[in-house]
Amino acid sequence: MCDGSVSMSMAALSVRPVVRQDAEILIRANLDSRSYHAPWARPFIDLNGFESWFARSVTGPDVGLAAWYGSDDDPVGVFTFSQIVMGAFCSAYLGYYGMKAHARTGRMTDALRLVLDYGFDRLSLHRVEANIQPGNVASIALVRRAGFRQEGYSPRYLKIDGEWRDHERWAALAEDRPGRRRGSRITLPSV
């Protein structure tokens, strides 16, 4: 699986595993984007929340990635591969959210494509599934642009804010993607 030392980039956009030093910048970006995330996402907004999320990426079955524009102080979005199962399944769930400062720039679409390349190429996944509430039209449009296809509808799928919410199931398969993204490459960070 992920060795944590690899990043993927497309021009000024890069995607890499989150490190503890990213906490302050990601917390600030999440705070600045709270109204933008509502009601669909409730990302961490303090150090305790970051540490809880980050711990699952370090010691658990999750891989937490962030997309950055230009430098490592301008986050575009956060992505989590969770419940990764290998063996005959080679599958994971994908959760994500974008930052308000990059809304409607196309950067989340490019970032999601790089994240899929990371999942398929670096984590050796065969399938990535995203479950999205039907009213979240922006998120549905995002996965469509990235090549996901709708596979089904799950009534009362996840309990969010104390209520069971319906979700659409969207998935991307490694063999269905249209090949390597132009300009996409794996790079090792300088030491």
Side-chain angles (χ1 to χ4, degrees), residues 170-188:
W170 291 80
L173 302 178
E175 65 266 18
D176 289 345
R177 65 187 170 143
R180 209 96 176 87
R181 311 286 174 231
R182 276 182 211 222
S184 175
R185 65 187 184 282
I186 297 174
T187 58
L188 295 175

Side-chain angles (χ1 to χ4, degrees), residues 2 33 37 75 81 88 91 98 100 129 138 150-151 165-166 182:
C2 172
S33 300
H37 294 147
F81 286 110
S91 182
K100 183 178 180 179
E129 183 174 319
Q150 186 177 8
E151 291 189 331
R165 310 280 179 166
D166 298 347
R182 276 182 211 222

Side-chain angles (χ1 to χ4, degrees), residues 105-176:
T105 63
R107 292 182 189 121
M108 272 298 284
T109 301
D110 290 339
L112 179 52
R113 289 176 178 146
L114 287 173
V115 165
L116 287 175
D117 285 345
Y118 192 97
F120 294 138
D121 297 339
R122 297 297 303 166
L123 303 179
S124 300
L125 296 173
H126 164 73
R127 172 189 169 80
V128 174
E129 183 174 319
N131 291 282
I132 305 166
Q133 292 181 62
N136 192 344
V137 293
S139 188
I140 290 170
L142 174 64
V143 296
R144 269 195 183 120
R145 286 190 303 271
F148 284 69
R149 68 171 173 245
Q150 186 177 8
E151 291 189 331
Y153 187 85
S154 300
R156 296 171 303 284
Y157 182 68
L158 289 174
K159 194 171 195 176
I160 300 172
D161 290 335
E163 292 187 36
W164 289 100
R165 310 280 179 166
D166 298 347
H167 281 70
E168 293 182 8
R169 283 189 325 278
W170 291 80
L173 302 178
E175 65 266 18
D176 289 345

Side-chain angles (χ1 to χ4, degrees), residues 6-156:
V6 174
S7 67
M8 299 185 81
S9 63
M10 181 183 295
L13 185 69
S14 64
V15 170
R16 64 166 173 76
V18 173
V19 294
R20 187 166 265 112
Q21 292 83 345
D22 296 328
E24 183 180 330
I25 292 167
L26 292 176
I27 290 167
R28 184 173 52 245
N30 286 345
L31 285 167
D32 291 346
S33 300
R34 280 176 94 176
S35 63
Y36 180 68
H37 294 147
W40 313 114
R42 304 257 188 293
F44 51 83
I45 54 170
D46 58 27
L47 189 55
N48 286 338
F50 172 85
E51 288 294 339
S52 177
W53 174 83
F54 184 71
R56 291 188 303 273
S57 294
V58 174
T59 62
D62 297 356
V63 173
L65 304 169
W68 305 89
Y69 185 69
S71 64
D72 283 355
D73 62 356
D74 192 7
V76 172
V78 173
F79 302 82
T80 305
F81 286 110
S82 65
Q83 299 180 39
I84 299 169
V85 178
M86 296 312 285
F89 201 42
C90 295
S91 182
Y93 291 102
L94 180 67
Y96 54 86
Y97 56 87
M99 301 304 176
K100 183 178 180 179
H102 294 280
R104 304 199 182 286
T105 63
R107 292 182 189 121
M108 272 298 284
T109 301
D110 290 339
L112 179 52
R113 289 176 178 146
L114 287 173
V115 165
L116 287 175
D117 285 345
Y118 192 97
F120 294 138
D121 297 339
R122 297 297 303 166
L123 303 179
S124 300
L125 296 173
H126 164 73
R127 172 189 169 80
V128 174
E129 183 174 319
N131 291 282
I132 305 166
Q133 292 181 62
N136 192 344
V137 293
S139 188
I140 290 170
L142 174 64
V143 296
R144 269 195 183 120
R145 286 190 303 271
F148 284 69
R149 68 171 173 245
Q150 186 177 8
E151 291 189 331
Y153 187 85
S154 300
R156 296 171 303 284

